[in-house]
Amino acid sequence: MTVIVVGYAPGPIGDSALARAVDETRFRRARLVVVNSSRGDAPVDNRYLQEDEASELGARLDATGIPWTLHQPVRGRDAAEEVLQAAEDARADLVVIGLRQRSPVGKLLLGSTAQRVLLEARCPVLAVKAS
């Protein structure tokens, strides 16, 4: 079965990536793997879904009728590593990521998660801007 992996963080960028991943999953009759991760030992940042948010996301995905799973690793690795690992583990046919605008200095100092996924993924990557 075809597998699509999407990197997801709550907010407009993550929601746009998720919506496109759902569309691609339907179109390809695939299975969706949603990756939502946190770098630290305590998953208390605004990008990591808490239990109630994960339940809401699950209800939204259940309503689409597509098969899906949610992976929420907390291993101290950055989001790019987690998305790339999930894509490798699932033998993904496509990775979907959201893009955000960053200044050149921000890219230089912090790197770019999207750039890393685009360059290192072993399958095609679809980059989505917030709608």
Side-chain angles (χ1 to χ4, degrees), residues 1-32:
M1 174 178 248
T2 302
V3 177
I4 296 173
V5 171
V6 61
Y8 178 75
I13 297 164
D15 289 339
S16 293
L18 183 65
R20 184 57 187 263
V22 167
D23 289 346
E24 289 292 326
T25 301
R26 275 195 192 115
F27 177 73
R28 298 170 187 241
R29 296 188 176 122
R31 179 172 60 90
L32 181 64

PDB file of all heavy atoms in Angstrom, residues 1-32:
ATOM      1  N   MET A   1       0.841  -1.180   0.000  1.00  0.00           N
ATOM      2  CA  MET A   1       0.000   0.000   0.000  1.00  0.00           C
ATOM      3  C   MET A   1       0.888   1.247   0.000  1.00  0.00           C
ATOM      4  O   MET A   1       1.924   1.279   0.642  1.00  0.00           O
ATOM      5  CB  MET A   1      -0.905   0.008   1.236  1.00  0.00           C
ATOM      6  CG  MET A   1      -1.702   1.297   1.371  1.00  0.00           C
ATOM      7  SD  MET A   1      -2.822   1.317   2.784  1.00  0.00           S
ATOM      8  CE  MET A   1      -4.363   1.296   1.922  1.00  0.00           C
ATOM      9  N   THR A   2       0.447   2.235  -0.697  1.00  0.00           N
ATOM     10  CA  THR A   2       1.142   3.517  -0.750  1.00  0.00           C
ATOM     11  C   THR A   2       1.060   4.195   0.620  1.00  0.00           C
ATOM     12  O   THR A   2       0.032   4.133   1.283  1.00  0.00           O
ATOM     13  CB  THR A   2       0.487   4.421  -1.824  1.00  0.00           C
ATOM     14  OG1 THR A   2       0.544   3.753  -3.076  1.00  0.00           O
ATOM     15  CG2 THR A   2       1.172   5.759  -1.925  1.00  0.00           C
ATOM     16  N   VAL A   3       2.153   4.841   1.009  1.00  0.00           N
ATOM     17  CA  VAL A   3       2.219   5.520   2.309  1.00  0.00           C
ATOM     18  C   VAL A   3       2.659   6.962   2.105  1.00  0.00           C
ATOM     19  O   VAL A   3       3.620   7.229   1.377  1.00  0.00           O
ATOM     20  CB  VAL A   3       3.206   4.809   3.268  1.00  0.00           C
ATOM     21  CG1 VAL A   3       3.317   5.560   4.585  1.00  0.00           C
ATOM     22  CG2 VAL A   3       2.785   3.370   3.500  1.00  0.00           C
ATOM     23  N   ILE A   4       1.954   7.858   2.777  1.00  0.00           N
ATOM     24  CA  ILE A   4       2.306   9.283   2.770  1.00  0.00           C
ATOM     25  C   ILE A   4       2.601   9.684   4.208  1.00  0.00           C
ATOM     26  O   ILE A   4       1.840   9.377   5.117  1.00  0.00           O
ATOM     27  CB  ILE A   4       1.171  10.130   2.176  1.00  0.00           C
ATOM     28  CG1 ILE A   4       0.976   9.754   0.709  1.00  0.00           C
ATOM     29  CG2 ILE A   4       1.454  11.617   2.355  1.00  0.00           C
ATOM     30  CD1 ILE A   4      -0.204  10.383   0.037  1.00  0.00           C
ATOM     31  N   VAL A   5       3.727  10.370   4.396  1.00  0.00           N
ATOM     32  CA  VAL A   5       4.120  10.869   5.712  1.00  0.00           C
ATOM     33  C   VAL A   5       3.997  12.388   5.692  1.00  0.00           C
ATOM     34  O   VAL A   5       4.450  13.036   4.749  1.00  0.00           O
ATOM     35  CB  VAL A   5       5.569  10.453   6.058  1.00  0.00           C
ATOM     36  CG1 VAL A   5       6.049  11.153   7.321  1.00  0.00           C
ATOM     37  CG2 VAL A   5       5.663   8.944   6.217  1.00  0.00           C
ATOM     38  N   VAL A   6       3.394  12.945   6.730  1.00  0.00           N
ATOM     39  CA  VAL A   6       3.290  14.396   6.842  1.00  0.00           C
ATOM     40  C   VAL A   6       3.853  14.838   8.182  1.00  0.00           C
ATOM     41  O   VAL A   6       3.573  14.240   9.215  1.00  0.00           O
ATOM     42  CB  VAL A   6       1.826  14.891   6.672  1.00  0.00           C
ATOM     43  CG1 VAL A   6       0.899  14.319   7.730  1.00  0.00           C
ATOM     44  CG2 VAL A   6       1.754  16.420   6.676  1.00  0.00           C
ATOM     45  N   GLY A   7       4.695  15.870   8.139  1.00  0.00           N
ATOM     46  CA  GLY A   7       5.166  16.510   9.354  1.00  0.00           C
ATOM     47  C   GLY A   7       4.107  17.496   9.798  1.00  0.00           C
ATOM     48  O   GLY A   7       3.690  18.346   9.009  1.00  0.00           O
ATOM     49  N   TYR A   8       3.650  17.376  11.044  1.00  0.00           N
ATOM     50  CA  TYR A   8       2.542  18.214  11.503  1.00  0.00           C
ATOM     51  C   TYR A   8       2.867  18.919  12.812  1.00  0.00           C
ATOM     52  O   TYR A   8       3.334  18.296  13.766  1.00  0.00           O
ATOM     53  CB  TYR A   8       1.269  17.380  11.699  1.00  0.00           C
ATOM     54  CG  TYR A   8       0.120  18.207  12.217  1.00  0.00           C
ATOM     55  CD1 TYR A   8      -0.558  19.071  11.367  1.00  0.00           C
ATOM     56  CD2 TYR A   8      -0.255  18.170  13.546  1.00  0.00           C
ATOM     57  CE1 TYR A   8      -1.597  19.858  11.829  1.00  0.00           C
ATOM     58  CE2 TYR A   8      -1.292  18.956  14.031  1.00  0.00           C
ATOM     59  CZ  TYR A   8      -1.957  19.799  13.157  1.00  0.00           C
ATOM     60  OH  TYR A   8      -2.974  20.593  13.627  1.00  0.00           O
ATOM     61  N   ALA A   9       2.604  20.214  12.827  1.00  0.00           N
ATOM     62  CA  ALA A   9       2.616  21.022  14.044  1.00  0.00           C
ATOM     63  C   ALA A   9       1.364  21.888  13.989  1.00  0.00           C
ATOM     64  O   ALA A   9       0.978  22.341  12.907  1.00  0.00           O
ATOM     65  CB  ALA A   9       3.864  21.903  14.109  1.00  0.00           C
ATOM     66  N   PRO A  10       0.692  22.089  15.126  1.00  0.00           N
ATOM     67  CA  PRO A  10      -0.534  22.884  15.102  1.00  0.00           C
ATOM     68  C   PRO A  10      -0.271  24.297  14.599  1.00  0.00           C
ATOM     69  O   PRO A  10       0.769  24.876  14.877  1.00  0.00           O
ATOM     70  CB  PRO A  10      -0.997  22.900  16.557  1.00  0.00           C
ATOM     71  CG  PRO A  10       0.013  22.173  17.352  1.00  0.00           C
ATOM     72  CD  PRO A  10       1.061  21.641  16.450  1.00  0.00           C
ATOM     73  N   GLY A  11      -1.211  24.808  13.827  1.00  0.00           N
ATOM     74  CA  GLY A  11      -1.107  26.158  13.287  1.00  0.00           C
ATOM     75  C   GLY A  11      -1.376  26.156  11.796  1.00  0.00           C
ATOM     76  O   GLY A  11      -1.556  25.099  11.183  1.00  0.00           O
ATOM     77  N   PRO A  12      -1.385  27.333  11.200  1.00  0.00           N
ATOM     78  CA  PRO A  12      -1.731  27.455   9.784  1.00  0.00           C
ATOM     79  C   PRO A  12      -0.828  26.645   8.846  1.00  0.00           C
ATOM     80  O   PRO A  12      -1.305  26.039   7.884  1.00  0.00           O
ATOM     81  CB  PRO A  12      -1.592  28.954   9.501  1.00  0.00           C
ATOM     82  CG  PRO A  12      -1.713  29.618  10.827  1.00  0.00           C
ATOM     83  CD  PRO A  12      -1.176  28.642  11.825  1.00  0.00           C
ATOM     84  N   ILE A  13       0.466  26.610   9.127  1.00  0.00           N
ATOM     85  CA  ILE A  13       1.388  25.879   8.255  1.00  0.00           C
ATOM     86  C   ILE A  13       1.134  24.375   8.362  1.00  0.00           C
ATOM     87  O   ILE A  13       1.015  23.675   7.353  1.00  0.00           O
ATOM     88  CB  ILE A  13       2.850  26.221   8.596  1.00  0.00           C
ATOM     89  CG1 ILE A  13       3.113  27.704   8.336  1.00  0.00           C
ATOM     90  CG2 ILE A  13       3.813  25.356   7.812  1.00  0.00           C
ATOM     91  CD1 ILE A  13       4.362  28.243   8.977  1.00  0.00           C
ATOM     92  N   GLY A  14       1.034  23.889   9.584  1.00  0.00           N
ATOM     93  CA  GLY A  14       0.765  22.471   9.793  1.00  0.00           C
ATOM     94  C   GLY A  14      -0.583  22.060   9.244  1.00  0.00           C
ATOM     95  O   GLY A  14      -0.725  20.980   8.645  1.00  0.00           O
ATOM     96  N   ASP A  15      -1.593  22.915   9.420  1.00  0.00           N
ATOM     97  CA  ASP A  15      -2.928  22.600   8.913  1.00  0.00           C
ATOM     98  C   ASP A  15      -2.947  22.539   7.390  1.00  0.00           C
ATOM     99  O   ASP A  15      -3.619  21.682   6.810  1.00  0.00           O
ATOM    100  CB  ASP A  15      -3.949  23.610   9.426  1.00  0.00           C
ATOM    101  CG  ASP A  15      -4.227  23.455  10.917  1.00  0.00           C
ATOM    102  OD1 ASP A  15      -3.961  22.368  11.477  1.00  0.00           O
ATOM    103  OD2 ASP A  15      -4.711  24.433  11.528  1.00  0.00           O
ATOM    104  N   SER A  16      -2.200  23.433   6.740  1.00  0.00           N
ATOM    105  CA  SER A  16      -2.118  23.403   5.272  1.00  0.00           C
ATOM    106  C   SER A  16      -1.428  22.133   4.786  1.00  0.00           C
ATOM    107  O   SER A  16      -1.873  21.495   3.826  1.00  0.00           O
ATOM    108  CB  SER A  16      -1.375  24.630   4.745  1.00  0.00           C
ATOM    109  OG  SER A  16      -2.122  25.798   4.992  1.00  0.00           O
ATOM    110  N   ALA A  17      -0.336  21.755   5.454  1.00  0.00           N
ATOM    111  CA  ALA A  17       0.373  20.526   5.080  1.00  0.00           C
ATOM    112  C   ALA A  17      -0.527  19.313   5.294  1.00  0.00           C
ATOM    113  O   ALA A  17      -0.583  18.411   4.447  1.00  0.00           O
ATOM    114  CB  ALA A  17       1.668  20.389   5.886  1.00  0.00           C
ATOM    115  N   LEU A  18      -1.233  19.285   6.413  1.00  0.00           N
ATOM    116  CA  LEU A  18      -2.118  18.160   6.708  1.00  0.00           C
ATOM    117  C   LEU A  18      -3.253  18.063   5.692  1.00  0.00           C
ATOM    118  O   LEU A  18      -3.564  16.965   5.212  1.00  0.00           O
ATOM    119  CB  LEU A  18      -2.682  18.289   8.125  1.00  0.00           C
ATOM    120  CG  LEU A  18      -3.563  17.135   8.595  1.00  0.00           C
ATOM    121  CD1 LEU A  18      -2.755  15.843   8.693  1.00  0.00           C
ATOM    122  CD2 LEU A  18      -4.207  17.472   9.928  1.00  0.00           C
ATOM    123  N   ALA A  19      -3.846  19.193   5.351  1.00  0.00           N
ATOM    124  CA  ALA A  19      -4.945  19.187   4.373  1.00  0.00           C
ATOM    125  C   ALA A  19      -4.473  18.645   3.028  1.00  0.00           C
ATOM    126  O   ALA A  19      -5.150  17.828   2.393  1.00  0.00           O
ATOM    127  CB  ALA A  19      -5.521  20.595   4.218  1.00  0.00           C
ATOM    128  N   ARG A  20      -3.298  19.072   2.611  1.00  0.00           N
ATOM    129  CA  ARG A  20      -2.768  18.586   1.331  1.00  0.00           C
ATOM    130  C   ARG A  20      -2.421  17.105   1.412  1.00  0.00           C
ATOM    131  O   ARG A  20      -2.649  16.340   0.470  1.00  0.00           O
ATOM    132  CB  ARG A  20      -1.549  19.411   0.915  1.00  0.00           C
ATOM    133  CG  ARG A  20      -1.012  19.037  -0.443  1.00  0.00           C
ATOM    134  CD  ARG A  20      -2.133  19.183  -1.527  1.00  0.00           C
ATOM    135  NE  ARG A  20      -1.695  18.676  -2.785  1.00  0.00           N
ATOM    136  CZ  ARG A  20      -1.193  19.407  -3.766  1.00  0.00           C
ATOM    137  NH1 ARG A  20      -1.066  20.709  -3.608  1.00  0.00           N
ATOM    138  NH2 ARG A  20      -0.816  18.856  -4.880  1.00  0.00           N
ATOM    139  N   ALA A  21      -1.871  16.686   2.554  1.00  0.00           N
ATOM    140  CA  ALA A  21      -1.540  15.271   2.732  1.00  0.00           C
ATOM    141  C   ALA A  21      -2.802  14.414   2.699  1.00  0.00           C
ATOM    142  O   ALA A  21      -2.805  13.320   2.114  1.00  0.00           O
ATOM    143  CB  ALA A  21      -0.787  15.071   4.046  1.00  0.00           C
ATOM    144  N   VAL A  22      -3.876  14.886   3.297  1.00  0.00           N
ATOM    145  CA  VAL A  22      -5.149  14.159   3.258  1.00  0.00           C
ATOM    146  C   VAL A  22      -5.637  14.054   1.815  1.00  0.00           C
ATOM    147  O   VAL A  22      -6.067  12.980   1.368  1.00  0.00           O
ATOM    148  CB  VAL A  22      -6.207  14.838   4.173  1.00  0.00           C
ATOM    149  CG1 VAL A  22      -7.604  14.301   3.892  1.00  0.00           C
ATOM    150  CG2 VAL A  22      -5.839  14.641   5.641  1.00  0.00           C
ATOM    151  N   ASP A  23      -5.564  15.155   1.063  1.00  0.00           N
ATOM    152  CA  ASP A  23      -5.968  15.132  -0.349  1.00  0.00           C
ATOM    153  C   ASP A  23      -5.144  14.121  -1.140  1.00  0.00           C
ATOM    154  O   ASP A  23      -5.679  13.350  -1.943  1.00  0.00           O
ATOM    155  CB  ASP A  23      -5.815  16.514  -0.987  1.00  0.00           C
ATOM    156  CG  ASP A  23      -6.837  17.519  -0.485  1.00  0.00           C
ATOM    157  OD1 ASP A  23      -7.841  17.101   0.153  1.00  0.00           O
ATOM    158  OD2 ASP A  23      -6.633  18.730  -0.711  1.00  0.00           O
ATOM    159  N   GLU A  24      -3.832  14.138  -0.929  1.00  0.00           N
ATOM    160  CA  GLU A  24      -2.946  13.196  -1.633  1.00  0.00           C
ATOM    161  C   GLU A  24      -3.243  11.749  -1.222  1.00  0.00           C
ATOM    162  O   GLU A  24      -3.209  10.846  -2.051  1.00  0.00           O
ATOM    163  CB  GLU A  24      -1.479  13.526  -1.357  1.00  0.00           C
ATOM    164  CG  GLU A  24      -0.989  14.791  -2.013  1.00  0.00           C
ATOM    165  CD  GLU A  24      -0.914  14.694  -3.524  1.00  0.00           C
ATOM    166  OE1 GLU A  24      -0.612  13.602  -4.070  1.00  0.00           O
ATOM    167  OE2 GLU A  24      -1.163  15.721  -4.183  1.00  0.00           O
ATOM    168  N   THR A  25      -3.548  11.553   0.056  1.00  0.00           N
ATOM    169  CA  THR A  25      -3.855  10.211   0.552  1.00  0.00           C
ATOM    170  C   THR A  25      -5.123   9.677  -0.108  1.00  0.00           C
ATOM    171  O   THR A  25      -5.179   8.524  -0.528  1.00  0.00           O
ATOM    172  CB  THR A  25      -3.992  10.220   2.089  1.00  0.00           C
ATOM    173  OG1 THR A  25      -2.765  10.697   2.648  1.00  0.00           O
ATOM    174  CG2 THR A  25      -4.282   8.841   2.637  1.00  0.00           C
ATOM    175  N   ARG A  26      -6.133  10.526  -0.194  1.00  0.00           N
ATOM    176  CA  ARG A  26      -7.373  10.126  -0.877  1.00  0.00           C
ATOM    177  C   ARG A  26      -7.107   9.803  -2.341  1.00  0.00           C
ATOM    178  O   ARG A  26      -7.544   8.779  -2.852  1.00  0.00           O
ATOM    179  CB  ARG A  26      -8.405  11.250  -0.796  1.00  0.00           C
ATOM    180  CG  ARG A  26      -9.205  11.268   0.435  1.00  0.00           C
ATOM    181  CD  ARG A  26     -10.414  12.193   0.225  1.00  0.00           C
ATOM    182  NE  ARG A  26     -11.047  12.442   1.482  1.00  0.00           N
ATOM    183  CZ  ARG A  26     -11.110  13.632   2.059  1.00  0.00           C
ATOM    184  NH1 ARG A  26     -10.592  14.692   1.493  1.00  0.00           N
ATOM    185  NH2 ARG A  26     -11.729  13.772   3.205  1.00  0.00           N
ATOM    186  N   PHE A  27      -6.427  10.717  -3.015  1.00  0.00           N
ATOM    187  CA  PHE A  27      -6.162  10.576  -4.451  1.00  0.00           C
ATOM    188  C   PHE A  27      -5.394   9.293  -4.755  1.00  0.00           C
ATOM    189  O   PHE A  27      -5.693   8.588  -5.710  1.00  0.00           O
ATOM    190  CB  PHE A  27      -5.379  11.795  -4.954  1.00  0.00           C
ATOM    191  CG  PHE A  27      -4.993  11.712  -6.396  1.00  0.00           C
ATOM    192  CD1 PHE A  27      -5.943  11.879  -7.388  1.00  0.00           C
ATOM    193  CD2 PHE A  27      -3.682  11.461  -6.761  1.00  0.00           C
ATOM    194  CE1 PHE A  27      -5.591  11.793  -8.728  1.00  0.00           C
ATOM    195  CE2 PHE A  27      -3.314  11.368  -8.089  1.00  0.00           C
ATOM    196  CZ  PHE A  27      -4.271  11.541  -9.076  1.00  0.00           C
ATOM    197  N   ARG A  28      -4.413   8.995  -3.929  1.00  0.00           N
ATOM    198  CA  ARG A  28      -3.546   7.828  -4.162  1.00  0.00           C
ATOM    199  C   ARG A  28      -4.056   6.551  -3.491  1.00  0.00           C
ATOM    200  O   ARG A  28      -3.403   5.518  -3.583  1.00  0.00           O
ATOM    201  CB  ARG A  28      -2.132   8.134  -3.656  1.00  0.00           C
ATOM    202  CG  ARG A  28      -1.468   9.282  -4.378  1.00  0.00           C
ATOM    203  CD  ARG A  28      -0.187   9.673  -3.676  1.00  0.00           C
ATOM    204  NE  ARG A  28       0.395  10.864  -4.237  1.00  0.00           N
ATOM    205  CZ  ARG A  28       1.597  10.928  -4.786  1.00  0.00           C
ATOM    206  NH1 ARG A  28       2.355   9.852  -4.832  1.00  0.00           N
ATOM    207  NH2 ARG A  28       2.053  12.062  -5.254  1.00  0.00           N
ATOM    208  N   ARG A  29      -5.175   6.668  -2.777  1.00  0.00           N
ATOM    209  CA  ARG A  29      -5.701   5.529  -2.003  1.00  0.00           C
ATOM    210  C   ARG A  29      -4.602   4.954  -1.116  1.00  0.00           C
ATOM    211  O   ARG A  29      -4.289   3.769  -1.156  1.00  0.00           O
ATOM    212  CB  ARG A  29      -6.286   4.478  -2.925  1.00  0.00           C
ATOM    213  CG  ARG A  29      -7.485   4.989  -3.681  1.00  0.00           C
ATOM    214  CD  ARG A  29      -8.165   3.889  -4.435  1.00  0.00           C
ATOM    215  NE  ARG A  29      -9.366   4.415  -5.054  1.00  0.00           N
ATOM    216  CZ  ARG A  29      -9.600   4.373  -6.356  1.00  0.00           C
ATOM    217  NH1 ARG A  29      -8.740   3.805  -7.162  1.00  0.00           N
ATOM    218  NH2 ARG A  29     -10.707   4.872  -6.831  1.00  0.00           N
ATOM    219  N   ALA A  30      -4.051   5.843  -0.326  1.00  0.00           N
ATOM    220  CA  ALA A  30      -2.871   5.530   0.476  1.00  0.00           C
ATOM    221  C   ALA A  30      -3.217   5.477   1.959  1.00  0.00           C
ATOM    222  O   ALA A  30      -4.375   5.623   2.353  1.00  0.00           O
ATOM    223  CB  ALA A  30      -1.794   6.584   0.230  1.00  0.00           C
ATOM    224  N   ARG A  31      -2.188   5.278   2.752  1.00  0.00           N
ATOM    225  CA  ARG A  31      -2.260   5.339   4.214  1.00  0.00           C
ATOM    226  C   ARG A  31      -1.439   6.550   4.637  1.00  0.00           C
ATOM    227  O   ARG A  31      -0.372   6.810   4.094  1.00  0.00           O
ATOM    228  CB  ARG A  31      -1.669   4.063   4.808  1.00  0.00           C
ATOM    229  CG  ARG A  31      -1.668   4.023   6.321  1.00  0.00           C
ATOM    230  CD  ARG A  31      -1.240   2.660   6.849  1.00  0.00           C
ATOM    231  NE  ARG A  31       0.104   2.279   6.427  1.00  0.00           N
ATOM    232  CZ  ARG A  31       1.213   2.568   7.101  1.00  0.00           C
ATOM    233  NH1 ARG A  31       1.159   3.274   8.211  1.00  0.00           N
ATOM    234  NH2 ARG A  31       2.388   2.164   6.662  1.00  0.00           N
ATOM    235  N   LEU A  32      -1.932   7.292   5.636  1.00  0.00           N
ATOM    236  CA  LEU A  32      -1.277   8.513   6.098  1.00  0.00           C
ATOM    237  C   LEU A  32      -0.600   8.276   7.441  1.00  0.00           C
ATOM    238  O   LEU A  32      -1.193   7.709   8.356  1.00  0.00           O
ATOM    239  CB  LEU A  32      -2.303   9.641   6.239  1.00  0.00           C
ATOM    240  CG  LEU A  32      -1.770  10.998   6.685  1.00  0.00           C
ATOM    241  CD1 LEU A  32      -0.810  11.585   5.647  1.00  0.00           C
ATOM    242  CD2 LEU A  32      -2.922  11.956   6.930  1.00  0.00           C
TER     243      LEU A  32
END
